[in-house]
Amino acid sequence: METRSNHVLVGAVVLILLAVLALFTVWIARLGGTSEKEYDIFFRQSVDGLARGSAVTYSGVPSGQVKSIALWPIDPQFVRVRISVNDDTPVLQGTTATVVGSFTGTSTVSLDGARKGAPPITCPEQDPVKSCPYGVPVIPTKQGGLGAILNSAPQLLERLSTLTERLTGLLSDRNQASIAGILDNTNRLTDALADRGPEIAATLAQTRVAIQQAGDAAQQIGELAATTNGVLANDIKPTINNLNGAISSAQKSADTLNAAIGDARPGLQTFSRQTVPEVNRLVRDLRTTSAALSSIAEKVDQGGASSLIGSQKLPDYKGK
C-alpha cells in the first residue's frame, strides 16, 4: 500500500515539474521573440503561389508571414489574406500591398509606399465595422508588374487573336494580287521618273528663275508703293487739305442760309396766309374793271360819246 502511494506521489511530482518546465519554455520563447501586428488585405486579383507561411516583405526586407487565406464571403471576387508583421514594421498611411510572383511558382506579399511622418494604419473609431470588418486594420492593394501582366493576359491574347484574323483577311489572295499590282505600278512610275530626270531638272531650273523674277518684281512693287506713298504725302495731301477747307466753308454757308430761312419763315407764312388772298381778290376786281372798261369802249366805238349819256334815238318813220 505504501509502495503504491509512493508511485502516485512520484508521478504527481514529475507531472508538476513537466508543467513548470513547459511554462518556463513558453515564457522564455515569448521573451526571446518580438510582438507582432495583424492586418487584412483584400486582393481582387489572383493570389496564385501564395499560401500560409508565405513571406511578407516591406521594401524587400522580411517583416512577417501570411497567417490565412480565404475567399471573402461578402464578395467572392476578393481574397482575404491575413498577415502578421513585426511590431517595428512602419505600416503607415500610404502603405500598399502587392502579390509578387516568381517563375518558380512561389509568391510573396510585398508592402511599400509609406509616407514619412504619416500616422499608422488603424481602425477608425467611427464605423469600424465597415473599415475593419474582421477587427484588424486593412491595408489597401495595388497590382504588381507581373500580376498586372498575368491579369491582362486573356485580354492581350484576345486582341492578338483579333489582330491575327484581320491580318489574315488583309493578306488574302485578292489583296495580295492588288498589292502586287500597286508595287508594279510604283516600279513603272519610278522608272518613268528616272527617264524624265533631265526634263525635271530643267523644269526645276526654270522654276528657280521664275521665283527669282517674282522676287525682283515684288521688290519693284514695294519701291513703287513707297514712291506712291511719298507722292500722296507730298502732293495730294495739300490738295486734300484745301478741299477740306472748301467743304467746311460750304458747310458754314449752308448753315447760315438755313438760319436765314428759319428767320424768314414766319413772314413767309404770314404772306401766304394774308397777302396772297388779298392779291387774288385784287386780281378779280381788276378783271371786273377791265371787263367794264371794255364794254364802255365798245359802246363808244359803236354809238359815239352820246351813247354813254342816253339811249340811241330811233330814226323817224315817214309814211308813203
Side-chain angles (χ1 to χ4, degrees), residues 167-226:
L167 288 175
T168 302
L170 179 63
L171 297 178
S172 61
D173 296 338
R174 181 179 178 181
N175 291 337
Q176 288 180 3
S178 299
I179 294 172
I182 292 172
L183 294 176
D184 293 338
N185 294 331
T186 303
N187 290 331
R188 287 196 296 269
L189 179 60
T190 304
D191 295 339
L193 290 175
D195 295 337
R196 296 295 180 88
E199 297 179 2
I200 295 173
T203 303
L204 293 176
Q206 294 176 0
T207 304
R208 293 192 188 95
V209 174
I211 293 173
Q212 184 177 2
Q213 293 177 354
D216 296 339
Q219 184 178 0
Q220 294 176 0
I221 291 172
E223 294 176 354
L224 178 60

Side-chain angles (χ1 to χ4, degrees), residues 19 33-34 47 51 67 70 80 100 142 148 162 164 198 212 223 256 284-285 289 303 311:
T34 58
V47 292
K67 289 293 186 180
R80 184 175 69 89
V100 179
K142 72 173 183 179
T162 303
T164 303
Q212 184 177 2
E223 294 176 354
T256 303
R284 287 195 297 271
D285 294 340
T289 305
S311 62

Side-chain angles (χ1 to χ4, degrees), residues 43-56:
F43 290 104
R44 193 169 186 174
Q45 66 191 65
S46 175
V47 292
D48 290 339
L50 204 64
R52 294 182 59 182
S54 297
V56 176

Side-chain angles (χ1 to χ4, degrees), residues 11 23 34 56 66 69-70 81 109 149 155 197 226 275 280 311:
L23 292 174
T34 58
V56 176
V66 175
I69 301 175
V81 177
V109 176
I149 293 175
Q155 297 179 356
T275 306
N280 289 334
S311 62

Side-chain angles (χ1 to χ4, degrees), residues 41-103:
I41 306 172
F42 293 88
F43 290 104
R44 193 169 186 174
Q45 66 191 65
S46 175
V47 292
D48 290 339
L50 204 64
R52 294 182 59 182
S54 297
V56 176
T57 62
Y58 194 99
S59 297
V61 178
S63 302
Q65 63 180 351
V66 175
K67 289 293 186 180
S68 63
I69 301 175
L71 292 175
W72 192 25
I74 299 177
D75 189 352
Q77 292 182 353
F78 291 91
V79 178
R80 184 175 69 89
V81 177
R82 174 69 62 88
I83 64 172
S84 63
V85 296
N86 299 332
D87 188 44
D88 58 351
T89 303
V91 183
L92 308 178
Q93 296 290 338
T95 301
T96 57
T98 307
V99 175
V100 179
S102 63
F103 293 101

Side-chain angles (χ1 to χ4, degrees), residues 13-58:
V13 171
V14 171
L15 291 175
I16 292 172
L17 291 176
L18 289 175
V20 171
L21 181 60
L23 292 174
F24 180 77
T25 303
V26 172
W27 180 69
I28 292 296
R30 287 185 177 180
L31 290 178
T34 58
S35 60
E36 296 180 345
K37 293 182 179 179
E38 292 185 346
Y39 298 90
D40 279 339
I41 306 172
F42 293 88
F43 290 104
R44 193 169 186 174
Q45 66 191 65
S46 175
V47 292
D48 290 339
L50 204 64
R52 294 182 59 182
S54 297
V56 176
T57 62
Y58 194 99

